[in-house]
Amino acid sequence: MDHAADAHRTDLMTITRFVLNEQSKYPESRGDFTILLNHIVLGCKFVCSSVNKGEEQKKLDVLSNEVFIKALVSSGRTCILVSEEDEDAIIVEPSKRGRYCVVFDPLDGSSNIDCGVSIGTIFGIYMVKDDHEPTLADVLQPGKQMVAAGYCMYGSSCTLVLSTGKGVNGFTLDPSLGEFILTHPDIRIPKKGKIYSVNEGNAKNWDGPTAKYVLVRFTLYLSFYAVAIISLELQTWFYDNDIMMNSMVADVHRTLLYGGTFMYPADKKSPSGKLRVLYEVFPMSFLMENAGGQAFTGKQRALDLVPTKIHDRSPIFLGSYDDIEEIKALYAAEGKKE
């Protein structure tokens, strides 16, 4: 029996230990955020177990939503919840209220369950500063007002990525311990990347700046094949640097680690974009900025958006700093023509 190895395994940086260490830096902290996060982590573990059991998509969508609602309410630290699965916001009953608002997509990319693509949970957290009856105004705030955001990706391994506004850290679930262990400390997205993720099936409906950016990238990536003519209409072309997995969690996770661009632009069919602002665009933009990247809507910084409804949509370009600068320049040039 290797006692030294066993002793080492007890000195791991778990997500709870990590958050408690951060909490100790703020003497005024009451530990409410730590308790809330522990309940989010519990929800992630439960959903991960259900995904690994191979539950069908419809059942998992409903189950994951119920799991997170119950976990968040039972924490005693939330006052209002917004879920992708529910038409209306959930106001927590007075006896179980706390000072946090949580917005979440309980199972992003669930349509990919049967084809083996990683799926996940996305969440963002706001704090209510005043002691008042919670209203929609508490969550209809710009993303820059979030105090924390993250996602948990369920796949060959279960990874939770979190930011509390000072850097981004990744934790991997150790099944033998039942604990999330710090495996990706201080994630920094490369300043420029080679990968881009976009649904090229919508190419004919894109605006000029998006089409130009993708055409240039597509041409660069395939140049060594000496391709004479490349058209965005040729939807039969696929290349490792141009794959959208149709799971925001999986695509953004890859972008965060390796650099590049994740894009879900507006188009003629969806002029307001497809992704939901509160629980998809904002949390991922928050993570990307805290990792040194950028997030842009085609008009403005994504985190400056002010949603008017809980299920508002927006276009989004997020990723490496220099890559998003290129996209911003293309939109600026387009604006000068108009």
Side-chain angles (χ1 to χ4, degrees), residues 197-242:
S197 301
V198 67
N199 184 355
E200 287 194 342
N202 295 329
K204 62 183 179 181
N205 296 311
W206 288 341
D207 59 20
T210 301
K212 288 177 183 176
Y213 181 81
V214 173
L215 182 57
V216 168
R217 283 304 179 101
F218 196 63
T219 305
L220 287 173
Y221 293 148
L222 293 180
S223 61
F224 64 92
Y225 283 122
V227 178
I229 299 175
I230 297 174
S231 168
L232 288 173
E233 298 297 325
L234 298 178
Q235 297 304 315
T236 55
W237 279 101
F238 290 95
Y239 184 64
D240 285 346
N241 282 322
D242 178 27

Side-chain angles (χ1 to χ4, degrees), residues 7-66:
H8 176 71
R9 281 170 59 80
T10 64
D11 192 33
L12 298 170
M13 180 60 76
T14 66
I15 191 167
T16 301
R17 180 180 170 190
F18 178 87
V19 174
L20 285 171
N21 284 352
E22 292 299 302
Q23 177 187 316
S24 67
K25 299 175 184 178
Y26 304 92
E28 72 281 4
S29 175
R30 303 184 304 190
D32 287 351
F33 178 78
T34 302
I35 293 171
L36 173 60
L37 186 63
N38 278 338
H39 280 73
I40 292 175
V41 167
L42 177 61
C44 291
K45 290 177 182 177
F46 195 101
V47 173
C48 179
S49 175
S50 299
V51 169
N52 291 338
K53 289 177 184 176
E55 300 282 7
E56 62 184 59
Q57 177 195 342
K58 187 174 182 180
K59 184 176 180 180
L60 268 176
D61 283 338
V62 174
L63 176 65
S64 58
N65 192 45
E66 291 178 351

Side-chain angles (χ1 to χ4, degrees), residues 299-311:
K299 295 181 179 179
Q300 65 182 115
R301 176 192 179 206
L303 291 178
D304 286 338
L305 274 174
V306 181
T308 58
K309 298 177 182 177
I310 62 173
H311 298 299

Side-chain angles (χ1 to χ4, degrees), residues 47-48 51-52 54-55 57 60-61 107-121 152-158 197 243-254 262:
V47 173
C48 179
V51 169
N52 291 338
E55 300 282 7
Q57 177 195 342
L60 268 176
D61 283 338
L107 203 61
D108 172 75
S110 59
S111 61
N112 294 300
I113 290 174
D114 292 337
C115 60
V117 172
S118 295
I119 56 179
T121 298
C152 188
M153 184 172 68
Y154 315 113
S156 55
S157 63
C158 181
S197 301
I243 299 173
M244 191 171 207
M245 292 178 268
N246 201 29
S247 166
M248 190 183 193
V249 168
D251 284 312
V252 170
H253 186 69
R254 180 179 64 179
F262 170 88

